Amino acid sequence: MNILGKELSEKTASLIKEITQCLSKPVEYRFTDPSKTSSYGQCDAWQPDAYYIYCKESLLSAAKKNQINIAFETNLLHELYHLCQIEEGFPYTRTRCTSVTVTNQNYYDNLGSLFVSSILDLNVDFRLKQNSYTSSYFYSQRIIRAEKIIRKGHVYEGDDFLSAALMLMFLKLAADPISVNQLLQLYLPKNQSLVVCCLSAAEAISQVGYNDPESAFGSLACLFGTFNLFSTHSIIFRGKEYTDFASAEMDYPGTRIVFPPTAASGG
């Protein structure tokens, strides 16, 4: 199987065939536009004719010509698993129309995506590990981004706090413990509350779970409640729009706030 000019390993080709046969629409593959995004991959599930998966072209250079490109293949599978989540009914977010969000819609759309990705990526990582795929290349990239934030010298509020907290939470749950603990030690002198936030959120989400739609909803509501995101966003799940933590907790007991709400970034 050849995708975007790269011949895939037999194992990956077989798994992609297995996944796509279960999807309700065919899948088309494209390269991302580097002028519009720096992400390694994206999926567009909202076109009527097909699902579209976008991959970063530079990943093709992550291995020599005749070698299996683990990063590229893992990235393809990562996006395919997101399509599986959509068809399985995993939760997603919507930016609420308020006097705050209407002035910066793109910012708040991206903020919502940051939160939902932090949960859905944990589920994708679990699926990859079940099939013996490693996301170590992408873990290392997240660690590099986290180190760049700490080198700014301030991680006390706004985007840096949110990005660092969610990134550290994900890494704590998914990546090599030694590397993550070293990263946490870098953050501790700069902002102890951020490290406590990360560890508390990771502990709560490990208990609530993320490997089925209901537990993923509970974990996402946990983050929304903790970071006060319900003021600007809602969670869409099972055909219902949740605009406050109380309704989420009522429908799905066990959902909880990690500690008193921390204000999310204000754009």
Side-chain angles (χ1 to χ4, degrees):
M1 179 184 289
N2 188 297
I3 292 180
L4 297 175
K6 181 67 176 178
E7 195 67 29
L8 304 181
S9 65
E10 184 177 337
K11 175 185 175 182
T12 298
S14 176
L15 187 52
I16 287 177
K17 183 178 180 180
E18 178 184 326
I19 294 171
T20 54
Q21 283 178 338
C22 297
L23 297 175
S24 61
K25 292 188 289 189
V27 179
E28 298 288 338
Y29 302 91
R30 302 285 189 272
F31 286 123
T32 57
D33 183 344
S35 67
K36 296 180 179 179
T37 179
S38 60
S39 66
Y40 288 104
Q42 294 176 324
C43 61
D44 179 359
W46 314 116
Q47 303 306 315
D49 58 330
Y51 289 126
Y52 288 83
I53 285 180
Y54 296 86
C55 290
K56 194 171 185 178
E57 190 170 7
S58 63
L59 283 175
L60 290 175
S61 61
K64 294 180 180 178
K65 185 176 181 180
N66 295 322
Q67 288 182 334
I68 296 174
N69 192 320
I70 298 299
F72 178 68
E73 294 189 4
T74 301
N75 197 48
L76 287 174
L77 291 169
H78 182 107
E79 298 305 324
L80 282 167
Y81 281 133
H82 278 314
L83 295 180
C84 292
Q85 291 173 330
I86 291 169
E87 297 213 342
E88 292 166 10
F90 275 70
Y92 61 97
T93 65
R94 179 180 294 161
T95 302
R96 299 174 65 182
C97 185
T98 70
S99 58
V100 173
T101 61
V102 73
T103 60
N104 202 344
Q105 181 78 27
N106 287 338
Y107 169 80
Y108 284 99
D109 286 348
N110 290 333
L111 181 62
S113 295
L114 180 68
F115 273 80
V116 75
S117 292
S118 68
I119 300 300
L120 298 191
D121 280 355
L122 286 167
N123 173 255
V124 166
D125 188 71
F126 173 79
R127 299 183 195 221
L128 288 167
K129 287 176 177 174
Q130 279 192 314
N131 288 286
S132 302
Y133 284 86
T134 175
S135 297
S136 56
Y137 175 82
F138 302 101
Y139 296 156
S140 66
Q141 297 305 304
R142 290 185 190 231
I143 289 173
I144 289 170
R145 292 202 301 273
E147 289 173 341
K148 286 181 179 178
I149 291 174
I150 197 69
R151 281 199 293 270
K152 289 182 180 180
H154 61 89
V155 283
Y156 297 99
E157 59 186 1
D159 291 349
D160 283 345
F161 184 96
L162 288 175
S163 296
L166 294 176
M167 207 178 306
L168 291 171
M169 180 204 74
F170 175 89
L171 291 167
K172 181 66 177 177
L173 289 166
D176 172 57
I178 295 176
S179 299
V180 177
N181 288 335
Q182 289 174 345
L183 189 60
L184 290 172
Q185 290 304 313
L186 288 176
Y187 270 84
L188 194 59
K190 298 288 185 180
N191 193 337
Q192 185 176 357
S193 65
L194 185 147
V195 175
V196 171
C197 168
C198 153
L199 296 176
S200 300
E203 176 63 23
I205 287 168
S206 70
Q207 294 177 14
V208 176
Y210 43 78
N211 284 331
D212 59 75
E214 288 76 16
S215 61
F217 170 81
S219 286
L220 186 58
C222 167
L223 291 183
F224 266 48
T226 297
F227 289 96
N228 200 28
L229 216 69
F230 279 114
S231 63
T232 52
H233 296 75
S234 58
I235 302 176
I236 313 299
F237 185 59
R238 297 287 194 250
K240 181 175 179 178
E241 184 170 8
Y242 291 85
T243 58
D244 59 82
F245 182 80
S247 60
E249 188 179 31
M250 182 179 297
D251 284 358
Y252 297 91
T255 302
R256 63 187 186 278
I257 294 176
V258 175
F259 39 71
T262 301
S265 170

